Amino acid sequence: LAKLNQYDDTSHHIHANKSPSSSRSIFVCGPSGVGKTKIVRQAFCDIDAYFCEGKFDLMKTRKPFSALVQALTELSRKTLIIRKKNNSISRQNNGNPSSCNGPSNDGSSKRSPEDDRRDQVKQFLEKNESVLAGVFPNLGRYLNLDITSTTSASGVIDDNSSTMMSVISNPTLVTQQAWKQTVSKFYDCLRSLISLMIGPTSVLILFIDDLQWAGIETLDLLRDLTTKMPRLLLVGGIRIDTTDKTTVPSNVWDHPLLREAYKEYKCQNTPFRNNHASKCLLIKPLTVEPIAQYLTHTLDRMDVHDLAELVFEKTEGNMFHILRYLEMLHGSGHLYYSIQDLQWQWEDLAMIQDLKETDMGAVVEQKIIRLPAACIDVMKIASCMGARFDLELMQILLDNWSEFSLKTADNRTTMAVLSTENGVPLEEILWPAVEDGLLEELGSDPMALSVQYKFSHDKVQSAAHNLVGKERDTYHLTIGRFFKHQYEQNTGYSWMLIQAADHFCCCTLLLQNQKEKDKVAQVLYLSALELRTKSAFHSSVGQLRIALSLIGSDGWDRGYDLTLRIMNLIAESELCAGLMDECVARSKLILKHAKTLDEKQVAYNVWMMSLFSENRVDEAMVIGLELLRKMKLSSIPKRVGARHAVAELVSTHRMVRSLSDEDFGAIPDCQDETIQNYLRILMNLAMSAWPVNNKFAFLFFSLRLVQISLKKGYSACSSPGFAACSFVYGTLNCFAECDRIGRLSMDLAERFDSPYVRALTMFMYYSAPYTLYESCCLKMSAKFAETTKIAFESGNLLVGCIGRWGYLYSRFLEGSIRFDDLAIGAAQSCEEQGLCHVTLFTDTSILLRQLALNFHGRSPHASVLEGDAIPDFDEFKRLSKQNEVNYVRVVWFSLIAAFWHGDLDRACGFATQNAKHWHGEHPTWHSSFMPFIRCLTWCQLYGRDGKSKFRRLAKKEQKILEGWVEQGLSNRAWLCSFVRAEIMAWVKGLDGTLCNGKSNSNIGFEDEDDVDRRVSEAYDKAIEDASSFGFPQYAALGAERAAAYLRSRYREQQQQQQQHTTQSRRAYENCRKYIRLALDWHCRWRAISKIRQIKSEFVDVLGDDMMSVVGSSTNLPLEGSSFYRNTNTSIC
């Protein structure tokens, strides 16, 4: 098939994309039966890489990651099973593979690289068993490990089960487990596992077929793998019908993984495009000409064109249908081999045209019907179970079918397979179907429990399923009961629980008895809980909604405990799935029916978190305050204002000041669960108020958290409150107390084993106290990276997303990242926030990306934040005014862009607005760079315009910076060095302080030379200090500013016709020296806009040697960046 015309070309096209560096995902689209799978297998059969495939199943749509499980199971067989020299499997311990190759022929026992890899994988699986359990249980069998789900199977239906009763009676169980298994940690573990299995240099080609039946959680996982694994290539097969309309659900095409491929699919008129590395390959049915070629090769005749036209008319060029149609003609005698003529012949085409069996689906059904009755029964049952089935499991099901099926009046069955005499092997019963090509026996797997079979094609499974007819619901109910029973007998096999729930969802109409409905609802609840641990939130929501329909409208009165548990779990799952409107409605319903305040805690927390994630902080605050007032543990105002915040600040300061370090350490831990929950609510409210700059609420809740912790004892939620308290002390310039309380917060974070809270504490501590006291801030980005990792692993998605942005922003401040890398990192941060349903910092990430693009020369005007990320800055600015916090960040980033690119008029307006914002934000934010950039802006404006107001504003900012240093903030001394150099150069204060100044023309020649020397020394110190404190980007700015000053001095001397003097030559050479230094740094960062600016401003002092450097650095491609080639070594 792959040798015919378009298929051969398509195969070559896929080969062109085989390298993950060119494209990490290719999607092959086409109708069912057109040959997509064959083409992919043919294209990658001779590539030196691991090729693994999996296929989604229409009958198992609720089973998460099923196709990925198949593919990785195949990968584990290829990489973890040890083979001897004769290619046989080395097995020990009851059929399990041995952990070593055994002694070699020479008697030695050398270890191979495969042995080391097995040991590494084994250690990894043992360490991360809780994360991978239940999702990939078979992997452990290749390493003599028992990796199974920890969920108990007992008591799924039994009302007297202690396990079930513990689940129902404990109202805080789901809340405590809600974020234990998070999406990010599962993704990280899976990426690490795949990397270990394929080794450090091999490439994995992952073929996932029938992606149209994949769930959203699976698409999210595949997108994460393709984005963050540079040695993985995803090939996706997508089924599209012959009328050129997609059968794929809209939410699948809207997913970021497939969005670009869908655009290409919609605009493609040919199956491939030779001059474009397409991500979507449309495989069309065969035309008459390739069908004729196929018939010529098959029948060994040349006069097949009329027959080819007939075959095309009947089959529409679908290769699967072509084969079935020819088989039908041969079976009916219309296509036969003539012994007399020694060639293939066929009846008159008009006679063939009139055959009744023209429906290709009916042709397959008729082929199945001709099988023995027992074989038909097994195929009908198997079609309800999925595309493949286990022979041993099928045998157990058949042996117990009457036990689990619905009882009839005479208690008899009409299934022929159940009437077959005992002792007939199931392989014999299935052999006719295998012989006719309807079933395939899978290749022997030494680790499989038994032989496995699969349908040869989806259309065969569909035809067998159609034969089930009206008994379909009965089959699903029987199979569901069977899997439930198997789950109870095999504790920990969570896939059996999910399988049972999946079948129950297909037969709810047969459940007439309310007691049985309640039991099935319990199964669906436990299955949804298991799906939650696998990050399959959408599938969990689907099963829980069916469970609610089974319980009925009277569930709150009849089965209160079960209804409450299901409602709590579905609300949390909807929150994780991003279904915010449904989540809020569910929470309100729980609050309406729940009896006690403790039982309402989950609903309150979920409601608040959903509002926080949508940036509706004020509404969430109202709900939080209402809950705190109902708990009645302290006095809570209806609305927090300045008066309440100041009162909390004063009382907290008195309490903290009276305690020594020993007193802090002597305070015990709180054991009261009510107080612990109260502190948790205070923590959530405080940390949610901080990013949106609700400073009064931030102060009140965080300081109230500190006070109650000091009075009632510490809890896991106390440390963020002390970190926030430290943050406040820092912004109020109480640096010594800031350091003391900050270190206490980190000690408390280590004291309690709560990574979720620890991540929050780390972020608060590193955002202010850490950066205030660290002498070298090169560590700042590393600390944010550590915080982000812990936050995502613990499920703290808000802190994880903000921490990712903080990591990128700190690397920008440090000058430790190229701007093309920064642009890509900021874009990925935006996508990550979308996947996590956290939008608080999305606009800020967009601003950071556009700023990076400006520096990289990808904007029409470098000083205006407008380009690929922000198409219309004025519109973006107008929309940001609706959110005060976003507008503050728009002004700040606009000031950076304008100042760095020398647009002083634009910078003046933004600096004025920034000053108002900066003073108004205290004490929730503390940015030492804001007064620093403003001071430099005023200095340059004074040097250009000579207006006294700019000198006054610069003096004000300088006093702020020097005041910090005088009060003990020594790591900001480099800011003062920079400011003194600027003032000395442009405001003409030789001692580094502001004065009225006097023009250079009034200073004697010796005085001018002394000014140049002292200004150069001041800039040298500023450059050295900025570099030593970890800010080379500002060292480059200092070099540029020094060059600008010396160029102005050189021009003055030229105007005075002193260009041949020693002082003039010295100014010229020193200017070139500083320019060379600035260019070197900017080239390193790919700051193309700055290179262009220097080329334009310093054209009169740039020589040919330096111009060549500038010319070669202004056209660097974004795609050539190290971040693009390997994101795993940067932010990801």
Side-chain angles (χ1 to χ4, degrees), residues 1068-1113:
Y1068 177 81
E1069 292 300 329
N1070 287 339
C1071 177
R1072 285 173 53 84
K1073 179 191 71 172
Y1074 285 120
I1075 292 176
R1076 187 179 294 107
L1077 181 62
L1079 279 175
D1080 178 60
W1081 267 316
H1082 290 314
C1083 289
R1084 213 178 303 170
W1085 297 316
R1086 297 298 193 272
I1088 297 176
S1089 63
K1090 289 297 299 179
I1091 297 172
R1092 291 170 180 166
Q1093 179 188 356
I1094 292 175
K1095 175 182 177 181
S1096 174
E1097 291 186 5
F1098 296 91
V1099 64
D1100 54 337
V1101 294
L1102 285 172
D1104 293 339
D1105 57 334
M1106 298 178 66
M1107 287 294 290
S1108 63
V1109 174
V1110 174
S1112 64
S1113 304

Side-chain angles (χ1 to χ4, degrees), residues 398-418:
L398 294 175
D399 294 341
N400 298 275
W401 184 269
S402 58
E403 177 184 349
F404 300 114
S405 61
L406 287 175
K407 305 301 180 184
T408 59
D410 55 1
N411 200 25
R412 289 189 296 179
T413 179
T414 59
M415 296 184 65
V417 68
L418 302 183

Side-chain angles (χ1 to χ4, degrees), residues 125-174:
L125 289 176
E126 290 174 340
K127 181 180 179 181
N128 298 278
E129 179 180 351
S130 61
V131 180
L132 299 172
V135 182
F136 305 106
N138 292 335
L139 296 182
R141 296 211 307 274
Y142 296 93
L143 299 166
N144 299 332
L145 292 177
D146 181 19
I147 299 182
T148 57
S149 172
T150 56
T151 302
S152 175
S154 60
V156 176
I157 298 297
D158 186 4
D159 293 332
N160 297 322
S161 168
S162 59
T163 302
M164 173 57 66
M165 295 308 295
S166 67
V167 170
I168 299 299
S169 60
N170 187 354
T172 62
L173 181 60
V174 171

Side-chain angles (χ1 to χ4, degrees), residues 6-7 30-31 34 242 283-287 290 312 315-319:
Q6 55 172 323
Y7 295 95
V34 79
T242 55
I283 311 301
K284 293 184 177 180
L286 293 176
T287 58
F312 176 76
T315 64
E316 297 181 343
N318 186 291
M319 197 62 201

Side-chain angles (χ1 to χ4, degrees), residues 872-883 887 890:
D872 188 341
F873 174 75
D874 292 334
E875 178 67 13
F876 187 86
K877 181 180 178 182
R878 184 185 65 81
L879 293 175
S880 68
K881 288 185 178 180
Q882 301 174 8
N883 186 309
Y887 185 66
V890 169

Side-chain angles (χ1 to χ4, degrees), residues 793-904:
E793 288 181 352
S794 63
N796 197 332
L797 302 183
L798 175 64
V799 173
C801 291
I802 299 178
R804 184 83 78 195
W805 179 88
Y807 166 80
L808 289 170
Y809 182 60
S810 61
R811 291 199 67 181
F812 163 72
L813 294 177
E814 298 167 358
S816 60
I817 187 172
R818 285 166 38 172
F819 286 108
D820 48 359
D821 292 347
L822 180 61
I824 297 173
Q828 291 183 351
S829 177
C830 290
E831 295 176 1
E832 188 174 53
Q833 292 175 47
L835 291 175
C836 296
H837 310 293
V838 176
T839 60
L840 287 175
F841 271 66
T842 300
D843 288 344
T844 309
S845 297
I846 293 174
L847 285 167
L848 184 60
R849 178 175 178 237
Q850 186 58 60
L851 181 65
L853 292 173
N854 279 36
F855 274 95
H856 191 54
R858 298 284 292 272
S859 176
H861 306 285
S863 61
V864 181
L865 292 177
E866 193 170 271
D868 294 342
I870 304 177
D872 188 341
F873 174 75
D874 292 334
E875 178 67 13
F876 187 86
K877 181 180 178 182
R878 184 185 65 81
L879 293 175
S880 68
K881 288 185 178 180
Q882 301 174 8
N883 186 309
E884 180 184 353
V885 176
N886 284 342
Y887 185 66
V888 169
R889 293 163 187 161
V890 169
V891 170
W892 169 235
F893 279 91
S894 300
L895 172 59
I896 294 176
F899 166 77
W900 271 88
H901 293 97
D903 191 345
L904 295 182

Side-chain angles (χ1 to χ4, degrees), residues 207-490:
F207 175 40
I208 304 297
D209 203 3
D210 282 336
L211 270 176
Q212 74 278 356
W213 290 327
I216 297 298
E217 53 271 355
T218 303
L219 295 177
D220 289 342
L221 175 56
L222 291 175
R223 180 174 177 272
D224 181 83
L225 294 178
T226 56
T227 303
K228 300 180 181 180
M229 291 196 67
R231 292 182 291 110
L232 181 143
L233 174 63
L234 171 67
V235 183
I238 302 177
R239 180 179 301 184
I240 298 172
D241 65 16
T242 55
T243 59
D244 204 32
K245 296 179 181 178
T246 177
T247 57
V248 182
S250 59
N251 62 337
V252 173
W253 276 128
D254 291 339
H255 192 274
L257 178 68
L258 304 178
R259 192 177 297 143
E260 292 299 322
Y262 181 61
K263 291 180 181 178
E264 292 191 12
Y265 156 71
K266 294 295 288 184
C267 68
Q268 281 197 107
N269 296 317
T270 58
F272 63 93
R273 287 179 285 177
N274 291 325
N275 298 323
H276 180 62
S278 176
K279 293 177 70 67
C280 182
L281 304 176
L282 179 58
I283 311 301
K284 293 184 177 180
L286 293 176
T287 58
V288 174
E289 181 179 354
I291 294 176
Q293 293 181 27
Y294 174 76
L295 294 176
T296 298
H297 289 294
T298 303
L299 305 179
D300 196 18
R301 289 187 57 170
M302 300 301 297
D303 55 339
V304 296
H305 191 269
D306 293 341
L307 179 61
E309 288 184 341
L310 176 63
V311 172
F312 176 76
E313 178 184 348
K314 296 295 186 181
T315 64
E316 297 181 343
N318 186 291
M319 197 62 201
F320 177 83
H321 289 161
I322 291 173
L323 296 176
R324 302 290 85 76
Y325 186 69
L326 293 176
E327 289 176 355
M328 185 270 294
L329 292 179
H330 179 257
S332 61
H334 293 85
L335 177 64
Y336 59 92
Y337 187 80
S338 173
I339 301 298
Q340 181 179 359
D341 299 331
L342 298 178
Q343 66 176 359
W344 284 92
Q345 294 184 359
W346 50 89
E347 299 288 349
D348 183 74
L349 296 181
M351 182 184 300
I352 299 177
Q353 180 79 29
D354 295 335
L355 288 177
K356 296 181 179 180
E357 293 178 331
T358 56
D359 182 9
M360 290 298 100
V363 170
V364 179
E365 289 183 17
Q366 289 300 318
K367 190 171 183 179
I368 297 176
I369 291 174
R370 287 194 289 267
L371 295 172
C375 184
I376 296 174
D377 289 337
V378 177
M379 291 188 66
K380 288 161 62 176
I381 297 174
S383 68
C384 296
M385 297 176 65
R388 59 177 65 196
F389 59 93
D390 186 274
L391 192 66
E392 181 179 341
L393 202 61
M394 176 64 75
Q395 185 66 65
I396 298 174
L397 172 60
L398 294 175
D399 294 341
N400 298 275
W401 184 269
S402 58
E403 177 184 349
F404 300 114
S405 61
L406 287 175
K407 305 301 180 184
T408 59
D410 55 1
N411 200 25
R412 289 189 296 179
T413 179
T414 59
M415 296 184 65
V417 68
L418 302 183
S419 303
T420 305
E421 294 182 5
N422 293 333
V424 178
L426 193 54
E427 294 95 327
E428 273 188 40
I429 297 176
L430 294 174
W431 175 247
V434 176
E435 193 175 28
D436 280 355
L438 299 173
L439 291 178
E440 294 178 4
E441 182 177 344
L442 298 180
S444 59
D445 179 4
M447 292 293 101
L449 296 177
S450 69
V451 179
Q452 289 190 333
Y453 286 81
K454 74 170 185 176
F455 288 95
S456 59
H457 197 274
D458 293 333
K459 291 184 178 295
V460 178
Q461 180 190 1
S462 178
H465 197 250
N466 289 336
L467 293 176
V468 179
K470 297 180 179 180
E471 295 182 326
R472 195 171 298 165
D473 289 352
T474 304
Y475 276 43
H476 282 294
L477 179 60
T478 304
I479 298 172
R481 289 173 172 176
F482 166 73
F483 275 113
K484 180 210 49 99
H485 176 76
Q486 288 298 112
Y487 173 72
E488 294 172 352
Q489 302 301 317
N490 298 274

